[in-house]
Amino acid sequence: MSRKEIEDRGLPTSRPCSILTLEVRDPRGSLLARHVQESRSYTRQYMRFLFGRFQGFTGPIGSTGVTGTSGGISWLSSSLQGDMVAGTMSGIVVGAGTQAAGAAGSDYRLGSFIRHGTLTTGNRLTYAKGTGIDETRAGGTVTHRFRRLFTNNAGSAVTVREAGWLVNNAYTVPGRYLIIRDLVGGAGLRVGTLSTLTVWYDLRTIR
């Protein structure tokens, strides 16, 4: 994303931030929709994630949920990029929920998780392997980009209204922890049959 596009969209240019971008393309690759916003919904689990990275094992608390675990993060199984293996629902994930953010960032799962798969009943998208791009520099701005592609092979349209990031915990109580949850807003993005959705999280620091 160019500096001009960032400025035109009212995104920050003078402080560290995270930018969420979603694009929908038809089966021929033509762009159908593009949505860009600042990611503001870092959850309480994000702080536990940082604490675990700096402090080490903190002791698991809470219980495993269907698509996320409540409580603290103890030990991560791999890198942020390494979690995004094809077909796995860790790393960048999407959902259809519209629930407002929990108090004090207490969310530990998406409002309505869109699972990996091709079933025609319920929302399904095929989760591709995610990628991470090492830092790029432009003037005083340093950006790390993480990307994941989703394909609708389920036979009916899927509407994405939220995005997030699940990291793996591999210590005493295995689980997945939601460290980011962003509501897309509006009517969401419609992903038709055989169309693709690409989601980027750009983590930026500014000198």
Side-chain angles (χ1 to χ4, degrees):
M1 183 184 300
S2 67
R3 184 178 180 87
K4 183 178 185 304
E5 184 178 3
I6 291 172
E7 292 174 344
D8 289 346
R9 293 178 179 274
L11 298 171
T13 59
S14 60
R15 61 175 171 81
C17 66
S18 174
I19 296 175
L20 169 66
T21 304
L22 302 94
E23 283 188 355
V24 178
R25 293 182 180 271
D26 68 17
R28 295 170 296 180
S30 299
L31 181 65
L32 298 177
R34 176 177 169 86
H35 177 87
V36 182
Q37 68 182 59
E38 183 178 1
S39 173
R40 295 182 178 272
S41 300
Y42 289 89
T43 69
R44 176 174 173 243
Q45 304 286 17
Y46 179 76
M47 301 307 294
R48 303 295 291 182
F49 163 71
L50 290 181
F51 185 80
R53 280 301 205 196
F54 284 111
Q55 185 68 20
F57 176 66
T58 62
I61 56 176
S63 59
T64 301
V66 176
T67 56
T69 305
S70 62
I73 298 172
S74 56
W75 188 264
L76 298 177
S77 63
S78 60
S79 65
L80 292 178
Q81 177 185 341
D83 285 339
M84 293 194 288
V85 178
T88 62
M89 293 177 290
S90 294
I92 297 174
V93 293
V94 292
T98 59
Q99 295 89 331
S106 62
D107 299 346
Y108 68 93
R109 64 178 67 181
L110 295 181
S112 179
F113 196 80
I114 296 177
R115 294 177 175 275
H116 166 79
T118 58
L119 295 178
T120 56
T121 56
N123 288 341
R124 294 287 191 276
L125 289 172
T126 300
Y127 282 55
K129 178 182 179 180
T131 59
I133 300 175
D134 201 4
E135 66 179 49
T136 57
R137 296 174 180 264
T141 300
V142 179
T143 301
H144 286 271
R145 166 168 284 192
F146 296 88
R147 169 186 177 274
R148 194 167 205 175
L149 178 73
F150 304 83
T151 304
N152 184 355
N153 293 312
S156 60
V158 173
T159 299
V160 173
R161 297 185 175 90
E162 56 184 335
W165 202 318
L166 283 168
V167 296
N168 285 328
N169 170 46
Y171 208 74
T172 310
V173 181
R176 289 174 293 175
Y177 292 84
L178 187 71
I179 61 172
I180 298 174
R181 178 180 177 238
D182 287 299
L183 292 175
V184 175
L189 280 80
R190 183 181 183 276
V191 185
T193 302
L194 300 181
S195 294
T196 62
L197 168 72
T198 305
V199 180
W200 291 272
Y201 271 102
D202 289 341
L203 311 182
R204 300 170 57 228
T205 61
I206 297 174
R207 185 176 62 197

